[in-house]
C-alpha cells in the first residue's frame, strides 16, 4: 500500500501527468494507493473510489460517476451571443430541461440538466433556432467533481443530507480523498 499526500501540488502540467502515469502503473501492478488531493480533476482521473471530506468528516463516498450522478446527470451549456437574449433563451430551454435551468449573466451562459444526451442537444439547437436566439457556444457535458464538492459542502443542509456511513464503502484498489 502506498500513501500519497497531495503528490502533484505545485507541479507543472507535464510533471503532473508523469506522476499520474506513475500512479496508474503502480495500481496496474497491484499496489493499492491512498491519494489525498484538493485537485478534484486528479481524483477524477486516478481514483476508483472517492471519499469527500468536509470539516474532518466523510460526507460522501463512491466512484467518480456515482458522486456526479448525485447532483444530476448530463448538462447542455449554452453561451448566447447577446446578453439581452439570456432570459429569453432560458425560457425557451426550460421545456427541454430535466431540472432547474441555471443562468450566469456574467458569462451569458445557461446550463440545462438533461436526460437523453443526444436528443436534448438536438432539441436545444432546434428551440434556440426557432426562437431566433444565436448561440456562441453549445456544449454537452457531465458534472465535474468540483461541482460535486461545492454541492455537497455548499450549505449545512445540503451537506448533512448527503452524508453517508464511512464504514459501508466497498474496498477498492485506488482511493481518492478530496479535502
Amino acid at each position: 500500500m502506498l500513501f500519497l499526500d497531495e503528490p502533484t501540488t505545485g507541479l507543472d502540467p507535464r510533471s503532473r501527468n508523469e506522476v499520474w502515469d506513475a500512479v496508474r502503473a503502480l495500481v496496474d501492478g497491484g499496489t493499492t494507493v491512498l491519494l489525498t488531493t484538493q485537485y478534484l480533476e486528479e481524483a477524477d482521473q486516478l481514483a476508483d473510489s472517492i471519499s469527500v471530506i468536509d470539516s474532518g468528516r466523510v460526507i460522501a463516498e463512491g466512484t467518480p460517476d456515482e458522486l456526479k450522478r448525485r447532483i444530476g446527470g448530463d448538462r447542455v451549456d449554452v453561451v448566447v451571443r447577446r446578453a439581452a437574449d439570456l432570459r429569453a433563451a432560458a425560457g425557451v430551454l426550460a421545456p427541454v430541461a430535466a431540472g432547474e435551468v441555471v443562468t450566469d449573466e456574467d458569462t451569458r451562459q445557461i446550463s440545462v440538466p438533461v436526460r437523453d444526451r443526444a436528443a436534448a442537444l438536438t432539441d436545444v439547437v432546434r428551440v434556440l433556432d426557432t426562437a431566433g436566439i444565436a448561440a456562441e457556444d453549445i456544449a454537452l457535458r457531465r458534472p465535474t467533481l468540483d461541482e460535486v464538492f461545492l454541492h455537497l459542502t455548499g450549505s449545512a443542509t445540503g451537506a448533512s443530507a448527503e452524508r453517508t456511513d464511512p464504514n459501508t464503502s466497498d474496498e477498492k484498489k485506488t482511493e481518492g480523498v478530496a479535502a
Side-chain angles (χ1 to χ4, degrees), residues 20-167:
W20 287 6
D21 289 343
V23 169
R24 286 185 188 107
L26 288 166
V27 170
D28 288 345
T31 302
T32 298
V33 177
L34 181 87
L35 171 75
T36 62
T37 184
Q38 292 187 31
Y39 300 140
L40 300 183
E41 176 191 6
E42 183 167 74
D44 201 5
Q45 289 290 318
L46 297 175
D48 294 330
S49 177
I50 296 173
S51 296
V52 179
I53 298 173
D54 186 29
S55 301
R57 297 185 52 133
V58 174
I59 60 169
E61 291 185 356
T63 68
D65 285 339
E66 289 168 348
L67 292 172
K68 290 173 187 178
R69 279 193 295 271
R70 285 187 178 196
I71 67 165
D74 298 324
R75 303 189 78 76
V76 175
D77 291 341
V78 176
V79 177
V80 295
R81 185 164 291 144
R82 296 177 344 109
D85 290 337
L86 188 64
R87 183 167 288 157
V92 299
L93 292 175
V96 176
E100 181 184 354
V101 175
V102 178
T103 60
D104 183 333
E105 292 182 20
D106 294 332
T107 61
R108 301 182 328 273
Q109 180 172 308
I110 304 155
S111 188
V112 181
V114 297
R115 283 187 178 67
D116 182 346
R117 295 170 56 89
L121 190 57
T122 303
D123 291 344
V124 164
V125 171
R126 186 177 303 118
V127 298
L128 288 173
D129 185 53
T130 300
I133 298 171
E136 194 169 283
D137 190 27
I138 299 176
L140 181 61
R141 69 175 183 87
R142 294 210 158 93
T144 66
L145 285 180
D146 285 344
E147 291 169 319
V148 170
F149 181 84
L150 293 171
H151 175 79
L152 293 172
T153 63
S155 68
T157 305
S160 63
E162 294 292 341
R163 291 192 189 278
T164 60
D165 182 353
N167 298 316

Side-chain angles (χ1 to χ4, degrees), residues 11-26:
L11 295 180
D12 61 77
R14 181 177 295 119
S15 298
R16 181 183 64 180
N17 286 334
E18 289 172 4
V19 170
W20 287 6
D21 289 343
V23 169
R24 286 185 188 107
L26 288 166

